[in-house]
Amino acid sequence: MDDAKEQMQKAIDHLDYELGKIRAGKANPKMLEDIRVEYFGTATPLSQVANVSVPDPRTIAIRPWEKTMIAPIEKAIMAANLGMNPDNNGEMIRIMVPPLTEERRRDLVKQVKSVCEDSRIVIRNVRRDANEEFKKLKKDGLSEDLAKDAEGDVQKIHDSFMKKIDELFAAKEKDVMTI
């Protein structure tokens, strides 16, 4: 049961991480988290070659630790196809985060819904696996009452995690749709 709860919590943590990467009209350093920059022949995370900050709600500032990294960072940002254009002044790169259109907001809500649904599927699968384990234990001598109680407990845990997903979805949807 603890294992099932732990796996469900991991699904929620992953959902929270994925939702953080979906942009909601405000600049956020997480938007650039998956960008890899070519550094001495190795694809390196952007955060390991530069300092990424948000000086205001519409701007992301990237200050490379080496000036020679400006061009590879710009190239990586363009290749990531984020819909944002980097602008450099020779020392740092600025990315202006454009305001979202209504159509783009709806697309982002669909993306949020899809990510949430993936997490729901993971949690349902964990519940199913736990229930199958209880059925195996019942065959091995666990009393029927204990097996039913355990299945009920897993269902309660499942329901609480589904509620958390719904809350995360509602909060992110509100965040995305707010102008």
Side-chain angles (χ1 to χ4, degrees):
M1 183 130 21
D2 290 338
D3 187 41
K5 193 172 188 175
E6 184 180 318
Q7 289 178 355
M8 289 182 188
Q9 185 59 49
K10 285 181 183 176
I12 294 290
D13 294 344
H14 179 74
L15 173 64
D16 197 32
Y17 170 77
E18 289 297 319
L19 290 178
K21 291 192 303 187
I22 297 174
R23 119 186 156 120
K26 295 187 291 273
N28 185 342
K30 283 186 179 179
M31 296 162 64
L32 305 176
E33 217 165 68
D34 290 338
I35 293 180
R36 302 263 184 230
V37 179
E38 197 65 32
Y39 186 64
F40 290 114
T42 306
T44 308
L46 178 62
S47 61
Q48 292 183 11
V49 296
N51 181 27
V52 181
S53 62
V54 181
D56 64 68
R58 293 266 179 240
T59 308
I60 299 175
I62 304 165
R63 186 175 297 274
W65 292 316
E66 299 174 26
K67 287 185 181 179
T68 58
M69 290 303 299
I70 289 178
I73 291 172
E74 280 187 311
K75 184 178 173 186
I77 292 169
M78 295 297 276
N81 200 13
L82 298 172
M84 298 179 282
N85 292 320
D87 177 40
N88 86 65
N89 64 5
E91 289 190 18
M92 68 184 305
I93 299 168
R94 290 189 190 278
I95 299 175
M96 302 309 276
V97 180
L100 296 172
T101 63
E102 187 68 26
E103 182 180 337
R104 181 71 178 130
R105 288 178 192 278
R106 285 195 188 104
D107 290 344
L108 287 174
V109 168
K110 287 178 188 174
Q111 185 180 349
V112 168
K113 193 176 259 184
S114 171
V115 171
C116 288
E117 188 56 38
D118 291 345
S119 294
R120 284 187 182 95
I121 290 168
V122 168
I123 289 175
R124 285 186 202 116
N125 288 340
V126 170
R127 176 189 59 184
R128 184 198 63 222
D129 294 345
N131 287 340
E132 287 174 2
E133 192 66 32
F134 293 134
K135 287 177 184 170
K136 285 181 189 172
L137 289 173
K138 191 165 67 172
K139 288 179 184 174
D140 292 342
L142 183 69
S143 74
E144 199 168 311
D145 288 344
L146 285 175
K148 284 287 182 200
D149 289 345
E151 286 180 19
D153 291 345
V154 167
Q155 183 62 42
K156 286 178 187 170
I157 293 169
H158 166 272
D159 293 344
S160 72
F161 279 100
M162 287 297 187
K163 187 176 178 192
K164 284 182 186 177
I165 290 175
D166 292 339
E167 290 167 359
L168 287 170
F169 171 73
K172 189 65 177 185
E173 180 183 33
K174 182 180 178 207
D175 192 26
V176 168
M177 293 309 285
T178 302
I179 298 175

